[in-house]
Amino acid sequence: MTEYPLKPETRAQLEKVSVATLCTVMYKRGLRNQVIQDVHPLSRKGKNMVGPAFTLRYMPAREDRNQLVEFRNPKHPQRHAVEMCPAGHVMVMDSRKSAYAASAGDILISRLMARGVAGVVTDGGFRDAMNIAELDIPAYHNRPASLTNLTTNEAIDINVPVGCGDAPVFPGDILVGDDDSIIVIPAHLADEAAEEATAMTDYEDFVLTRVNAGASIIGLYPATDKSNLDDFEKWRAERDAK
């Protein structure tokens, strides 16, 4: 598989655009199911989570394979994935959309934070969610879950294609999470998506200034009246000159 490293300038652009805007960018390219469903931030962090995906897949637990003694195994996939996830990446856990039992707790998330991981996402739940919310790492889940993941899930595969909240996630895809939700951008589209979303965001900022000043949205949003595009270019030039 071709690798597409995340450029620093692309990361910087993606940190400043909304998931909603990126969703429109993906929709224009025929990709309609890239938003991870029913997953929310534990707390606001003040900027977007951005990073390539590093995945962990869970499967339904079988009782004889999932006793507490399993956690003593240093190669246990859950523990091993925490120590393998590269700095700057987002750890994405396919927990079968089940928040009945936890995907991880505050100790493992703290370890990810200490290793420089950019964020953590599960379509299941976290235990110790109140503690994770206070950590300086973006974390997204369905809802709090106190039971150990061994109760219903077995960590089985590391860094393989997964489904998380009905979205397809391939290792290396770019995750962008804001205070609303998370989108998965195929790695080969990241640069152009960041450029287009940045331009769209600039125009939407202009639109808000006009709407707040009493302008009608007809011809303005979308820009079907060319005079609005001319006004936008003047507005952007003046803004950038400041």
Side-chain angles (χ1 to χ4, degrees):
M1 180 182 293
T2 303
E3 293 188 5
Y4 299 88
L6 180 60
K7 299 175 182 176
E9 56 269 31
T10 299
R11 182 189 290 270
Q13 288 178 312
L14 292 174
E15 287 177 346
K16 298 176 182 177
V17 298
S18 71
V19 169
T21 297
L22 288 166
C23 190
T24 300
V25 171
M26 291 294 99
Y27 183 82
K28 290 168 65 176
R29 288 159 175 76
L31 300 174
R32 304 184 178 190
N33 298 295
Q34 300 304 114
V35 174
I36 297 178
Q37 299 297 313
D38 299 321
V39 170
H40 315 285
L42 275 71
S43 60
R44 297 188 176 197
K45 299 303 180 186
K47 69 175 184 179
N48 287 357
M49 173 190 74
V50 179
F54 182 89
T55 67
L56 174 65
R57 183 177 72 88
Y58 287 95
M59 65 173 287
R62 200 178 75 189
E63 288 79 0
D64 63 323
R65 291 175 53 91
N66 286 274
Q67 302 298 314
L68 281 175
V69 68
E70 295 301 324
F71 282 154
R72 294 181 177 275
N73 177 7
K75 294 296 184 180
H76 184 276
Q78 184 202 46
R79 267 60 173 166
H80 201 43
V82 167
E83 296 296 335
M84 289 176 62
C85 185
H89 283 55
V90 174
M91 187 163 173
V92 182
M93 290 179 270
D94 171 5
S95 293
R96 307 187 300 114
K97 299 192 294 183
S98 172
Y100 180 77
S103 303
D106 61 348
I107 293 176
L108 298 190
I109 306 304
S110 293
R111 177 58 180 159
L112 289 170
M113 181 180 69
R115 297 189 62 254
V117 171
V120 58
V121 178
T122 178
D123 59 1
F126 289 130
R127 67 197 307 185
D128 316 308
M130 67 284 195
N131 296 333
I132 295 171
E134 299 296 323
L135 296 176
D136 190 23
I137 181 174
Y140 295 74
H141 73 166
N142 181 300
R143 56 182 169 81
S146 294
L147 295 174
T148 174
N149 66 283
L150 291 170
T151 309
T152 58
N153 286 338
E154 177 178 348
I156 196 71
D157 273 328
I158 297 174
N159 219 28
V160 296
V162 299
C164 186
D166 293 326
V169 184
F170 290 82
D173 282 351
I174 306 304
L175 275 289
V176 181
D178 60 16
D179 288 338
D180 286 336
S181 54
I182 311 166
I183 192 166
V184 184
I185 303 174
H188 68 283
L189 295 176
D191 294 343
E192 63 184 78
E195 288 283 350
E196 185 171 340
T198 297
M200 289 175 61
T201 299
D202 283 348
Y203 186 73
E204 290 169 356
D205 289 346
F206 164 72
V207 167
L208 278 174
T209 65
R210 295 293 303 276
V211 168
N212 289 336
S216 168
I217 62 169
I218 305 302
L220 175 65
Y221 188 71
T224 55
D225 183 340
K226 185 179 181 301
S227 67
N228 287 311
L229 292 176
D230 294 337
D231 290 343
F232 166 60
E233 292 301 332
K234 295 176 184 177
W235 173 86
R236 183 161 60 176
E238 291 173 358
R239 181 201 63 180
D240 294 345
K242 293 179 179 178

